[in-house]
Amino acid sequence: MTVQTPGPGPTAPPFRRISLRGPAGMRQRLRPLGLLAPAEGGLPYWVEDAAYVVPRAMAERLLQTAARLHALCLQAIGTELQGGDPERFGIQEAGMRQAVLQSWQAQDSPLYGRMDFSFSAAGEPVLLDYEADGPLGLAEASYLQWEWFEAAQAASLTERGDDQENLLYEKLLALLPRLGLGPDFAIAHGGGAVGAERTDAEYLASLAREAGLPARLCEIGALGWDREALCFTDDQDRPLSGLLKLYPWLWMEQEPNAEALPQSRTRILPAAWTRLLSDKALLARLWQQAPGTPGLLPAWLEGEAPAEPGLALVAKPCRGDDGEGVTGPDEPPDHRHGPLLRQGWCPPPRFETGQGSVHAGVSVWLVGGEPAGLSFRESRSWRSDATARFVPHILRG
């Protein structure tokens, strides 16, 4: 087992990257899911020969920071919606705006989300993004990562007392029966027999069945609208009392049935108000509301950012994902993806490996708004994009 120390960079975070051989048997679990096939960057998505070791104190600090920032997000959204119209977030469809307000007033569940963190020069976690509208990667962060840990433990690849910060399975299993999805609900995904969406959808379906809820899978494109029953229907034209979707609200608001959302009797989760939670415009709202708050980076919407001499900023599309359209301090901003957020530049810490340097981004997963576990993804670039790779972690100390 070889410890790899952080390479040159702005921070030296209190966690380590170690190299170790992958536990026997995990390949048979990962291969059918496509996690060992060459991905967009030419390498398998799952890193088999490494893990991140996180001290318990740092894990606790990450979870506490995530909980505090989530509460701050709720305050900001509540303030934003007091005026009755979330105009700051660029929602064009009146039906979607009304659905956001209704779901907020009904206190509908955010289901699950993922906060992505970097670290300040002092080693403190700072929020980069909040992927709050059904982010992909749930299955590997939850049960697959835990199975990896158990296999590593059985193979004596871990140390006595090691653990993993991972309660996603337990918290999801407890949450699902409380969501009021009714007797007929479906889990909608983007389509296809394999892929990240399908894997996450099947995982949620298995959890629902374990909780005693009959769930079925349905492709999002097969959903229909029953004008008489005022509800959405599945691919067999059966009315749905509930719908868990792995399809962004940002895309749903552009669909023909978006105008039907306010009158729908189908309970749709994650809540429509997570459309605001996942919009990077909220990061500017947070900084405006509580500038200097620990865990936050300076952030403004383009055109309203006060000039601060010497402050390096990145530009991010407010409604982008997977690093799409993100540019650094020395690059021209990319306006092709809509309005931009300007945020203080704080790249994830860099580690030197046998295959070159990587940037390690750590994420806190939340279930029902409560922190539930950690996961790591690493990229060759400081941008975490579609080529980012999943690395399991070990809790130690």
Side-chain angles (χ1 to χ4, degrees):
M1 184 181 298
T2 305
V3 175
Q4 295 160 337
T5 56
T11 64
F15 59 80
R16 300 175 295 154
R17 188 186 196 272
I18 61 172
S19 60
L20 75 173
R21 66 186 186 277
M26 274 307 293
R27 294 184 66 85
Q28 295 161 354
R29 293 288 289 126
L30 300 173
R31 186 178 291 110
L33 300 174
L35 299 180
L36 297 182
E40 190 166 328
L43 296 171
Y45 171 63
W46 187 286
V47 176
E48 290 192 271
D49 60 355
Y52 283 96
V53 177
V54 189
R56 291 178 188 273
M58 171 49 66
E60 186 63 29
R61 197 175 311 155
L62 279 161
L63 268 59
Q64 289 174 353
T65 301
R68 179 169 47 78
L69 293 181
H70 178 77
L72 197 63
C73 288
L74 298 186
Q75 292 176 21
I77 290 175
T79 301
E80 195 70 32
L81 294 181
Q82 282 180 355
D85 190 1
E87 58 181 351
R88 184 187 186 94
F89 296 84
I91 302 176
Q92 302 297 320
E93 293 295 328
M96 185 63 202
R97 293 198 298 270
Q98 186 61 30
V100 166
L101 288 168
Q102 288 178 187
S103 70
W104 176 257
Q105 292 163 356
Q107 298 183 334
D108 285 343
S109 174
L111 198 54
Y112 62 89
R114 190 191 75 224
M115 284 187 175
D116 299 333
F117 286 91
S118 184
F119 293 85
S120 70
E124 294 298 317
V126 288
L127 180 65
L128 295 177
D129 295 301
Y130 195 169
E131 304 296 338
D133 188 7
L136 299 180
L138 177 67
E140 52 264 38
S142 181
Y143 80 96
L144 287 171
Q145 185 177 210
W146 180 251
E147 286 186 17
W148 175 91
F149 176 76
E150 287 189 317
Q153 200 173 40
S156 299
L157 299 177
T158 61
E159 297 182 3
R160 184 180 180 87
D162 282 353
D163 203 343
Q164 192 175 87
E165 190 62 62
N166 189 350
L167 291 175
L168 278 161
Y169 165 81
E170 291 84 353
K171 288 184 178 290
L172 282 167
L173 192 63
L175 176 66
L176 286 170
R178 305 199 304 263
L179 297 178
L181 293 166
D184 299 296
F185 80 93
I187 299 171
H189 58 91
V194 295
E197 278 192 37
R198 179 70 183 227
T199 299
D200 284 355
E202 289 178 345
Y203 176 47
L204 286 170
S206 69
L207 282 170
R209 293 172 190 135
E210 188 173 348
L213 304 172
R216 52 186 182 268
L217 298 184
C218 178
E219 294 189 10
I220 195 76
L223 293 178
W225 173 250
D226 188 324
R227 294 181 179 176
E228 294 184 1
L230 296 179
C231 66
F232 287 93
T233 58
D234 67 7
D235 51 0
Q236 302 297 318
D237 291 329
R238 294 173 293 191
L240 293 172
S241 57
L243 178 68
L244 300 185
K245 61 166 192 64
L246 284 80
Y247 189 77
W249 281 108
L250 179 63
W251 296 354
M252 285 187 73
E253 68 191 57
Q254 300 168 25
E255 300 286 351
N257 286 331
E259 62 185 25
L261 289 171
Q263 55 186 315
S264 173
R265 293 173 180 166
T266 302
R267 185 173 180 79
I268 306 176
L269 297 174
W273 62 262
T274 62
R275 162 66 174 81
L276 310 188
L277 195 60
S278 60
D279 194 311
K280 293 178 180 59
L282 183 63
L283 297 174
R285 183 71 182 84
L286 292 178
W287 188 255
Q288 181 185 48
Q289 174 179 293
T293 295
L296 289 181
L297 289 169
W300 304 271
L301 296 179
E302 189 171 42
E304 64 182 34
E308 292 194 14
L311 181 62
L313 299 173
V314 298
K316 299 179 176 182
C318 288
R319 282 139 224 149
D321 56 9
D322 282 334
E324 182 182 50
V326 177
T327 56
D330 299 323
E331 299 172 307
D334 185 349
H335 292 91
R336 294 176 298 171
H337 305 284
L340 297 177
L341 173 84
R342 296 291 189 141
Q343 184 185 53
W345 190 50
C346 186
R350 186 158 63 96
F351 290 81
E352 295 300 330
T353 77
Q355 298 177 328
S357 62
V358 295
H359 288 268
V362 59
S363 300
V364 176
W365 288 80
L366 298 96
V367 173
E370 297 179 356
L374 300 180
S375 68
F376 283 81
R377 291 185 305 160
E378 61 183 30
S379 307
R380 295 293 183 190
S381 166
W382 59 267
R383 300 175 184 85
S384 182
D385 55 22
T387 65
R389 306 176 68 201
F390 185 89
V391 189
H393 81 274
I394 297 169
L395 191 64
R396 181 172 293 170

Short mmCIF file of all heavy atoms in Angstrom, two decimals, residues 3-31:
data_model
loop_
_atom_site.label_atom_id
_atom_site.label_comp_id
_atom_site.label_asym_id
_atom_site.label_seq_id
_atom_site.Cartn_x
_atom_site.Cartn_y
_atom_site.Cartn_z
N VAL A 3 1.21 5.46 0.00
CA VAL A 3 0.54 6.74 0.23
C VAL A 3 1.03 7.74 -0.80
O VAL A 3 2.23 7.88 -1.03
CB VAL A 3 0.82 7.26 1.64
CG1 VAL A 3 0.21 8.64 1.82
CG2 VAL A 3 0.26 6.30 2.68
N GLN A 4 0.09 8.43 -1.47
CA GLN A 4 0.44 9.43 -2.46
C GLN A 4 0.09 10.80 -1.90
O GLN A 4 -1.04 11.05 -1.49
CB GLN A 4 -0.33 9.16 -3.77
CG GLN A 4 0.09 7.83 -4.40
CD GLN A 4 -0.93 7.29 -5.37
OE1 GLN A 4 -2.10 7.63 -5.30
NE2 GLN A 4 -0.49 6.45 -6.27
N THR A 5 1.08 11.67 -1.83
CA THR A 5 0.90 12.97 -1.20
C THR A 5 0.38 13.99 -2.19
O THR A 5 0.56 13.84 -3.40
CB THR A 5 2.23 13.46 -0.62
OG1 THR A 5 3.19 13.49 -1.68
CG2 THR A 5 2.72 12.52 0.46
N PRO A 6 -0.28 15.04 -1.71
CA PRO A 6 -0.79 16.06 -2.61
C PRO A 6 0.33 16.72 -3.40
O PRO A 6 1.41 16.98 -2.88
CB PRO A 6 -1.46 17.06 -1.66
CG PRO A 6 -1.74 16.29 -0.43
CD PRO A 6 -0.64 15.29 -0.32
N GLY A 7 0.05 16.97 -4.68
CA GLY A 7 1.01 17.69 -5.51
C GLY A 7 0.87 19.18 -5.28
O GLY A 7 0.09 19.63 -4.43
N PRO A 8 1.62 19.98 -6.06
CA PRO A 8 1.53 21.43 -5.91
C PRO A 8 0.09 21.91 -6.10
O PRO A 8 -0.60 21.46 -7.01
CB PRO A 8 2.45 21.94 -7.01
CG PRO A 8 3.36 20.80 -7.32
CD PRO A 8 2.55 19.57 -7.09
N GLY A 9 -0.36 22.78 -5.27
CA GLY A 9 -1.72 23.28 -5.37
C GLY A 9 -2.00 24.25 -4.25
O GLY A 9 -1.17 24.47 -3.37
N PRO A 10 -3.21 24.83 -4.24
CA PRO A 10 -3.52 25.85 -3.24
C PRO A 10 -3.78 25.30 -1.86
O PRO A 10 -3.75 26.03 -0.89
CB PRO A 10 -4.80 26.50 -3.82
CG PRO A 10 -5.42 25.41 -4.63
CD PRO A 10 -4.29 24.62 -5.20
N THR A 11 -4.06 23.99 -1.74
CA THR A 11 -4.39 23.44 -0.43
C THR A 11 -3.70 22.11 -0.24
O THR A 11 -3.31 21.43 -1.19
CB THR A 11 -5.91 23.23 -0.27
OG1 THR A 11 -6.32 22.25 -1.23
CG2 THR A 11 -6.67 24.51 -0.50
N ALA A 12 -3.54 21.71 0.99
CA ALA A 12 -3.09 20.37 1.36
C ALA A 12 -4.17 19.79 2.27
O ALA A 12 -4.10 19.93 3.49
CB ALA A 12 -1.75 20.43 2.07
N PRO A 13 -5.20 19.19 1.72
CA PRO A 13 -6.36 18.76 2.52
C PRO A 13 -6.02 17.62 3.45
O PRO A 13 -5.10 16.85 3.20
CB PRO A 13 -7.36 18.30 1.45
CG PRO A 13 -6.50 17.84 0.32
CD PRO A 13 -5.34 18.78 0.31
N PRO A 14 -6.75 17.52 4.54
CA PRO A 14 -6.49 16.47 5.52
C PRO A 14 -7.11 15.13 5.11
O PRO A 14 -7.86 14.52 5.87
CB PRO A 14 -7.11 17.03 6.80
CG PRO A 14 -8.23 17.90 6.32
CD PRO A 14 -7.76 18.47 5.01
N PHE A 15 -6.84 14.69 3.91
CA PHE A 15 -7.15 13.32 3.52
C PHE A 15 -6.08 12.87 2.53
O PHE A 15 -5.32 13.68 2.01
CB PHE A 15 -8.56 13.17 2.93
CG PHE A 15 -8.84 13.99 1.72
CD1 PHE A 15 -8.42 13.60 0.46
CD2 PHE A 15 -9.57 15.17 1.82
CE1 PHE A 15 -8.69 14.36 -0.66
CE2 PHE A 15 -9.84 15.94 0.71
CZ PHE A 15 -9.40 15.53 -0.54
N ARG A 16 -5.98 11.56 2.33
CA ARG A 16 -4.90 11.02 1.50
C ARG A 16 -5.47 10.13 0.41
O ARG A 16 -6.54 9.55 0.55
CB ARG A 16 -3.94 10.17 2.36
CG ARG A 16 -3.26 10.91 3.50
CD ARG A 16 -2.45 9.93 4.33
NE ARG A 16 -3.33 8.96 4.99
CZ ARG A 16 -2.95 7.74 5.35
NH1 ARG A 16 -1.71 7.32 5.08
NH2 ARG A 16 -3.78 6.93 5.96
N ARG A 17 -4.70 10.01 -0.65
CA ARG A 17 -4.98 9.04 -1.70
C ARG A 17 -3.98 7.91 -1.55
O ARG A 17 -2.77 8.13 -1.51
CB ARG A 17 -4.85 9.68 -3.08
CG ARG A 17 -5.32 8.79 -4.25
CD ARG A 17 -5.00 9.47 -5.58
NE ARG A 17 -5.72 8.89 -6.69
CZ ARG A 17 -5.31 7.86 -7.41
NH1 ARG A 17 -4.16 7.26 -7.13
NH2 ARG A 17 -6.04 7.40 -8.43
N ILE A 18 -4.48 6.68 -1.44
CA ILE A 18 -3.59 5.54 -1.32
C ILE A 18 -3.83 4.61 -2.51
O ILE A 18 -4.93 4.54 -3.07
CB ILE A 18 -3.80 4.76 0.00
CG1 ILE A 18 -5.23 4.21 0.08
CG2 ILE A 18 -3.50 5.66 1.20
CD1 ILE A 18 -5.46 3.28 1.27
N SER A 19 -2.80 3.92 -2.92
CA SER A 19 -2.94 2.91 -3.97
C SER A 19 -3.08 1.54 -3.32
O SER A 19 -2.39 1.23 -2.35
CB SER A 19 -1.73 2.95 -4.91
OG SER A 19 -0.54 2.69 -4.21
N LEU A 20 -3.99 0.74 -3.81
CA LEU A 20 -4.18 -0.61 -3.31
C LEU A 20 -4.88 -1.42 -4.39
O LEU A 20 -5.61 -0.86 -5.23
CB LEU A 20 -4.98 -0.64 -2.01
CG LEU A 20 -6.49 -0.40 -2.03
CD1 LEU A 20 -7.07 -0.66 -0.65
CD2 LEU A 20 -6.86 0.98 -2.50
N ARG A 21 -4.64 -2.70 -4.40
CA ARG A 21 -5.26 -3.53 -5.42
C ARG A 21 -6.75 -3.66 -5.14
O ARG A 21 -7.19 -3.70 -3.99
CB ARG A 21 -4.61 -4.92 -5.45
CG ARG A 21 -4.83 -5.73 -4.20
CD ARG A 21 -4.03 -7.03 -4.23
NE ARG A 21 -4.36 -7.89 -3.09
CZ ARG A 21 -3.83 -7.76 -1.89
NH1 ARG A 21 -2.95 -6.80 -1.67
NH2 ARG A 21 -4.18 -8.57 -0.92
N GLY A 22 -7.54 -3.72 -6.19
CA GLY A 22 -8.98 -3.84 -6.01
C GLY A 22 -9.36 -5.17 -5.38
O GLY A 22 -8.75 -6.20 -5.68
N PRO A 23 -10.34 -5.18 -4.46
CA PRO A 23 -10.76 -6.43 -3.83
C PRO A 23 -11.25 -7.45 -4.85
O PRO A 23 -11.96 -7.10 -5.81
CB PRO A 23 -11.90 -6.01 -2.90
CG PRO A 23 -11.77 -4.54 -2.76
CD PRO A 23 -11.13 -4.04 -4.01
N ALA A 24 -10.86 -8.69 -4.67
CA ALA A 24 -11.33 -9.75 -5.56
C ALA A 24 -12.85 -9.84 -5.49
O ALA A 24 -13.46 -9.73 -4.44
CB ALA A 24 -10.70 -11.07 -5.14
N GLY A 25 -13.45 -10.04 -6.62
CA GLY A 25 -14.90 -10.19 -6.69
C GLY A 25 -15.64 -8.92 -7.07
O GLY A 25 -16.75 -8.99 -7.61
N MET A 26 -15.05 -7.76 -6.82
CA MET A 26 -15.74 -6.52 -7.16
C MET A 26 -15.87 -6.33 -8.67
O MET A 26 -16.83 -5.72 -9.14
CB MET A 26 -15.02 -5.32 -6.55
CG MET A 26 -15.42 -5.01 -5.11
SD MET A 26 -17.20 -4.81 -4.83
CE MET A 26 -17.58 -3.33 -5.74
N ARG A 27 -14.91 -6.84 -9.41
CA ARG A 27 -15.00 -6.72 -10.87
C ARG A 27 -16.27 -7.37 -11.40
O ARG A 27 -16.90 -6.86 -12.33
CB ARG A 27 -13.78 -7.35 -11.54
CG ARG A 27 -12.47 -6.62 -11.26
CD ARG A 27 -11.31 -7.25 -12.02
NE ARG A 27 -11.48 -7.07 -13.45
CZ ARG A 27 -11.10 -6.00 -14.14
NH1 ARG A 27 -10.54 -4.98 -13.49
NH2 ARG A 27 -11.29 -5.92 -15.43
N GLN A 28 -16.66 -8.48 -10.81
CA GLN A 28 -17.87 -9.17 -11.25
C GLN A 28 -19.13 -8.38 -10.92
O GLN A 28 -20.16 -8.55 -11.57
CB GLN A 28 -17.93 -10.56 -10.60
CG GLN A 28 -16.78 -11.45 -11.08
CD GLN A 28 -16.55 -12.62 -10.15
OE1 GLN A 28 -17.16 -12.72 -9.08
NE2 GLN A 28 -15.64 -13.49 -10.55
N ARG A 29 -19.05 -7.51 -9.91
CA ARG A 29 -20.19 -6.65 -9.57
C ARG A 29 -20.23 -5.42 -10.45
O ARG A 29 -21.31 -4.95 -10.84
CB ARG A 29 -20.09 -6.21 -8.09
CG ARG A 29 -20.26 -7.32 -7.11
CD ARG A 29 -21.71 -7.80 -7.04
NE ARG A 29 -22.55 -6.81 -6.40
CZ ARG A 29 -23.66 -6.31 -6.94
NH1 ARG A 29 -24.04 -6.67 -8.15
NH2 ARG A 29 -24.39 -5.44 -6.27
N LEU A 30 -19.06 -4.89 -10.79
CA LEU A 30 -18.98 -3.62 -11.51
C LEU A 30 -19.11 -3.77 -13.02
O LEU A 30 -19.66 -2.89 -13.69
CB LEU A 30 -17.65 -2.92 -11.18
CG LEU A 30 -17.42 -2.58 -9.70
CD1 LEU A 30 -16.00 -2.07 -9.50
CD2 LEU A 30 -18.42 -1.55 -9.21
N ARG A 31 -18.58 -4.88 -13.55
CA ARG A 31 -18.56 -5.02 -15.01
C ARG A 31 -19.94 -5.01 -15.65
O ARG A 31 -20.16 -4.31 -16.65
CB ARG A 31 -17.79 -6.29 -15.40
CG ARG A 31 -17.58 -6.41 -16.91
CD ARG A 31 -16.80 -7.64 -17.29
NE ARG A 31 -15.41 -7.55 -16.87
CZ ARG A 31 -14.88 -8.27 -15.91
NH1 ARG A 31 -15.63 -9.13 -15.22
NH2 ARG A 31 -13.61 -8.15 -15.59
#
